[in-house]
Amino acid sequence: MKYFKMTAVLLSAALVLISSVSFAGTLDDVKKKGFIQIGVNEGLFGFSYADEKGEWRGLDVDTARAVACAVFGAPDKLKFTPLTAQTRFTALQSGEIDLLCRNATQTLGRDSKLGLNFATVNFYDGQGFMVPKALGVTSAKELSGATICVLQGTTTEQNAADYFKKYKLAWKPVVLESTPAIQKAFFAGRCDCMTSDASQLAGLRTGASNPADYIILPERISKEPLAPAVRHGDDQWFDIVNYSVLAMIQAEEFGITSKNVDEMLNSNDPKIKRFLGVTPGNGEALGLDEKFAYNIVKHVGNYGEVYDRNVGPSTTLAIERGLNALWTEGGLMYAPPFK
């Protein structure tokens, strides 16, 4: 029996090692094919969606474009694979995609059991509830007995179950397989309430015939740090994705924008010179061009620009910065030194 147990352990270890080795060298792979295959949401306004011209837009899409700028010096070296909540991690694990930028929450289980590495958070969120105004509900604690639409394969289903159990409230989950399905069911009146990340609720609300007829309740029942993800076993690729996100955050802190980045190349600040690649070293450390951060800011913008363009107060979503503000402004966005 001990022999068979040891054999099983060794076999499992070998499979993990083979998996890690087979996916090492993602940078070389994407350079060879000339693009990065990106897993995105099948349609979430503000984060990843195809517009009327078929062009992908959103905060997650711009995050992917930042990685393309770091690798290729241009934002358009991408191909997009729309994925459901159930298929997103399998697509990454199998190598169908090189990078997942699909409003995915970092959790212990996903970091470990699923063999994923999450880069720096690109949006701090929390789970909420959306209801029709006509329901007359002002708090999630008034939802006892309600039917609630929830997306299968997400953290939201367990979070909702924990919440209703904690407050001893009855509820009837309506579990659906895709974002379009949950949106259609809710607006058709199939359920009293929809629960998801608050940002996703705001995005889905834009699909209503009259968005003003729906409200997002004030409770946030979970922490949902959303971040791009890569596979275990390729540290260089993880570093590239990680520092592509961090470059946008650091650029905002430095006051470098897509409009002034060329002027900032002449800065006398040693930190800015290193950041923009005027002083070499950072690019070489990642296996990239020295101006990788410059290219990100030039073609995509800093984090503030990306946020405001896609989900900020002047957009339909009108989401305040809150936790997604820079650390200097009371938020959580913080980049380590670029040196």
Side-chain angles (χ1 to χ4, degrees):
M1 182 62 70
K2 289 182 179 179
Y3 170 79
F4 286 113
K5 286 183 178 179
M6 181 60 69
T7 301
V9 169
L10 292 174
L11 179 59
S12 297
L15 288 173
V16 170
L17 178 61
I18 291 169
S19 176
S20 298
V21 172
S22 65
F23 288 124
T26 307
L27 177 61
D28 291 337
D29 291 343
V30 298
K31 281 186 173 181
K32 188 174 182 178
K33 63 187 179 183
F35 62 89
I36 307 170
Q37 195 74 43
I38 307 293
V40 292
N41 196 304
E42 65 268 46
L44 179 60
F45 187 81
F47 287 85
S48 58
Y49 67 100
D51 65 14
E52 62 278 1
K53 296 181 181 179
E55 296 182 6
W56 283 91
R57 300 188 182 279
L59 188 145
D60 283 334
V61 172
D62 280 346
T63 299
R65 290 198 170 107
V67 179
C69 287
V71 175
F72 295 106
D76 58 348
K77 301 292 187 178
L78 302 171
K79 290 188 179 181
F80 297 98
T81 301
L83 297 167
T84 66
Q86 295 96 315
T87 61
R88 54 185 170 169
F89 299 129
T90 303
L92 183 58
Q93 292 164 329
S94 68
E96 179 184 349
I97 59 174
D98 304 305
L99 171 63
L100 181 66
C101 286
R102 191 202 178 282
N103 58 301
T105 301
Q106 181 180 13
T107 69
L108 184 151
R110 292 172 179 177
D111 262 335
S112 54
K113 292 180 182 178
L114 294 187
L116 308 181
N117 279 336
F118 286 83
T120 294
V121 172
N122 68 345
F123 193 89
Y124 287 97
D125 208 350
Q127 185 174 334
F129 300 90
M130 181 163 66
V131 297
K133 282 184 179 179
L135 196 62
V137 171
T138 59
S139 168
K141 293 179 182 177
E142 300 171 18
L143 291 173
S144 183
T147 56
I148 299 180
C149 283
V150 61
L151 193 60
Q152 187 179 26
T154 64
T155 57
T156 56
E157 189 175 358
Q158 183 61 57
N159 291 339
D162 290 346
Y163 179 83
F164 287 107
K165 183 177 181 180
K166 176 180 178 180
Y167 291 102
K168 299 179 180 179
L169 303 172
W171 71 301
K172 302 172 185 176
V174 178
V175 182
L176 299 161
E177 295 183 355
S178 69
T179 300
I182 194 174
Q183 184 181 40
K184 182 179 179 180
F186 176 65
F187 293 132
R190 186 176 166 187
C191 43
D192 303 312
C193 171
M194 182 197 304
T195 185
S196 188
D197 297 345
S199 62
Q200 181 154 327
L201 295 177
L204 294 175
R205 182 168 56 181
T206 64
S209 56
N210 186 9
D213 288 341
Y214 301 88
I215 61 170
I216 298 173
L217 299 177
E219 288 88 355
R220 297 293 177 269
I221 67 171
S222 69
K223 293 186 292 184
E224 304 293 336
L226 310 180
V230 298
R231 292 177 291 272
H232 277 177
D234 192 339
D235 290 345
Q236 183 186 25
W237 185 240
F238 170 77
D239 288 344
I240 288 170
V241 173
N242 194 40
Y243 275 91
S244 294
V245 179
L246 290 168
M248 293 188 287
I249 296 170
Q250 185 60 63
E252 184 180 11
E253 184 178 338
F254 277 148
I256 306 173
T257 70
S258 57
K259 294 182 175 62
N260 71 13
V261 65
D262 287 318
E263 179 184 346
M264 296 296 276
L265 288 171
N266 299 315
S267 172
N268 291 320
D269 187 331
K271 294 179 181 178
I272 292 178
K273 292 175 72 173
R274 281 196 299 269
F275 177 74
L276 293 178
V278 176
T279 301
N282 288 341
E284 180 183 6
L286 292 171
L288 300 174
D289 187 276
E290 291 296 345
K291 287 194 173 182
F292 80 94
Y294 165 86
N295 288 328
I296 290 172
V297 181
K298 178 69 174 178
H299 297 294
V300 181
N302 66 33
Y303 181 77
E305 289 179 284
V306 170
Y307 188 99
D308 290 342
R309 177 166 65 239
N310 293 296
V311 301
S314 63
T315 68
T316 303
L317 298 187
I319 303 174
E320 297 294 335
R321 285 289 292 267
L323 295 177
N324 295 295
L326 293 178
W327 66 283
T328 54
E329 302 294 330
L332 298 177
M333 289 300 175
Y334 182 105
F338 275 67
K339 63 181 181 181

